[in-house]
Every structure is written in C-alpha cells, then in structure tokens.
Amino acid sequence: MKIIKKYVRPFIAMALVCVILLGGQAILELMLPEYMSRIVNTGLQKGGIENTYPEIIPSDVFEVFTEFMTEEDAVSFENSYIMLKEAVNKDKILEKYPSADENALVIDENADKAQLENLAKIFAKSTYSIYSLLAENGVLTIDTEAVNQKIDMAALTQQMNDLKNIDEAKMQQVMAGADEAQETLVNSITTVFIKGFYDEMGADLTKMQNGFIIKSGIAMLALSALNVACTIG
C-alpha cells in the first residue's frame, strides 16, 4: 500500500483537476440547451418578454384586471404596483416607455421574488378571464401559435372597461375557466397582452426582443467557450 501511495501521490492533484473539469463540462453541456430554448421560446416567440406580469400597466385598465381576481388576489396585485409619478426610477422607466403617463402603474421596486411569482400567477389568470370574454364577444382572437404576435391595446380599452358590467355568475364562470386552462396557453395569451401594454406606452419592442436574444446569445457563447476550455483541459 505504501508503495502504491508513493507512485499515486504525485498525480492526486491532476486527478482532482480532471474530475472538476469533467464535472464542469457535464454541467455546461446541460446548460447550453436551456439557453437555446430561452432564445427560441422567449426571444423569438414571446418577443423577449420573460415574465407573465407587466412591468407597467395603464391606469385606465388596471381596475378591470382586479375585477377578475379574488379579493385576496386583488389586494396582492394592487400592493405590487405604485404610480409611475411615485417611482424613484421614474426617469429610467420613461426612457423605456416614453408614452406612459404619470398615473400608469409600475412594479414596486420593493416587491420581493415570492411576491412577483405570486403576481405572475394572479395576473395571468385574470388576463385569461378577460381574453375569454373578449373572444366570446368576437372582439379579439389571439393565435397562440403565431410568432411574436401583438395586439392594439389602445383600441381594446373601452371593450375591456365594459367587462366590469357583466353579472357575477358570468364572471365566476370565466374565472373558473382560467383555473382549469393549460398554463402554457394562459401564459402565451398573457404575454400578448403585456406586449400590447408596452407597445401602447411607446416601448421599442424590436429593441427589447433583440436585447434579450443578444444577451442570451452572449451568455451561450461564454458557456460554449468554457465548455471547450474544460474539454481541452
């Protein structure tokens, strides 16, 4: 045993480095497909919109969405936003959304990750409920298979506000339908609405999409370079 240790000891450090490099290579190879998927699904199909809640939402339709939430969800939804005129980073937001008015609602910068994750679920279900009624009335149809689809949100504002007058039974019916709908379908429709909000407030959607794709592409190239380094090493 002592003789074996004598010959093995000089190579222990090299063996550990090899194990680390092989482990790193395996991890990087698993991460690369994920980034490719992000580029295709989020960058190309969703226009670079990562979240199923809007960073900013017009004040004239904000209340409509709360109508299609439970009382608890509505409170959580309202607590996640503040008026643009009260935001510390107001100027930066206006650079991105130059047509937004000061009464628009923006994400509260103090909202934590858990709050935002809950907000995404609440807003997605509310949006699907609203879409179901608009589609039923023949006002709006969204092709969830279309790439990078967007809608004219300004043209829908009045129709959306009219939904506040529907009876309680109908409202509960569409809300229940949102709970039963497939998550991927709900999220796809929600993304189209969010892009509609951003477009209405002057956001450069092409720049937003390209920025996401470029950022993800750079990260993917960096991972590829590390993977090659691990392989060579």
Side-chain angles (χ1 to χ4, degrees):
M1 182 63 72
K2 289 183 179 180
I3 295 175
I4 294 175
K5 286 183 178 180
K6 177 182 177 182
Y7 287 102
V8 169
R9 188 177 291 113
F11 302 100
I12 291 178
M14 186 181 297
L16 289 174
V17 170
C18 289
V19 171
I20 292 172
L21 289 174
L22 288 171
Q25 182 182 2
I27 293 172
L28 290 169
E29 287 180 350
L30 290 174
M31 292 175 68
L32 285 171
E34 179 183 346
Y35 273 85
M36 177 60 74
S37 176
R38 280 165 55 85
I39 290 174
V40 174
N41 295 333
T42 303
L44 297 179
Q45 293 188 335
K46 296 183 178 181
I49 306 296
E50 298 182 72
N51 302 309
T52 50
Y53 61 82
E55 297 177 357
I56 185 169
I57 182 171
S59 58
D60 54 359
V61 295
F62 186 83
E63 186 181 343
V64 180
F65 286 87
T66 62
E67 292 290 330
F68 293 87
M69 299 176 186
T70 64
E71 185 175 343
E72 181 182 352
D73 285 348
V75 171
S76 179
F77 179 69
E78 292 170 352
N79 289 340
S80 299
Y81 288 89
I82 60 172
M83 284 190 174
L84 175 57
K85 60 186 177 183
E86 299 172 354
V88 176
N89 57 340
K90 172 185 171 183
D91 292 339
K92 185 176 180 180
I93 294 173
L94 284 172
E95 286 181 10
K96 189 174 182 180
Y97 306 101
S99 299
D101 66 65
E102 291 194 334
N103 291 322
L105 285 302
V106 297
I107 290 292
D108 187 345
E109 60 182 7
N110 295 316
D112 57 29
K113 183 180 179 181
Q115 186 176 354
L116 293 177
E117 288 177 349
N118 187 46
L119 171 64
K121 296 176 183 177
I122 292 171
F123 183 77
K125 288 182 179 180
S126 177
T127 302
Y128 186 81
S129 298
I130 291 172
Y131 169 72
S132 297
L133 287 172
L134 292 174
E136 185 178 305
N137 295 337
V139 176
L140 175 66
T141 301
I142 293 177
D143 180 4
T144 55
E145 298 298 322
V147 175
N148 206 15
Q149 185 177 359
K150 68 178 182 179
I151 56 179
D152 184 356
M153 190 58 65
L156 288 173
T157 299
Q158 185 57 53
Q159 288 91 336
M160 290 173 65
N161 276 288
D162 288 343
L163 296 179
K164 292 188 291 185
N165 300 320
I166 69 169
D167 61 82
E168 183 66 23
K170 184 64 174 178
M171 186 177 292
Q172 293 301 322
Q173 180 185 342
V174 295
M175 289 172 65
D179 286 329
E180 297 171 0
Q182 291 184 345
E183 184 178 357
T184 52
L185 175 62
V186 173
N187 290 344
S188 295
I189 290 172
T190 302
T191 298
V192 176
F193 268 73
I194 292 173
K195 284 192 289 185
F197 291 143
Y198 292 174
D199 187 48
E200 179 186 354
M201 287 181 281
D204 187 337
L205 296 180
T206 300
K207 181 180 179 182
M208 192 178 295
Q209 179 181 35
N210 291 341
F212 178 86
I213 293 174
I214 291 171
K215 182 178 69 175
S216 299
I218 291 173
M220 190 173 176
L221 287 174
L223 290 175
S224 298
L226 285 173
N227 189 26
V228 171
C230 289
T231 302
I232 295 174

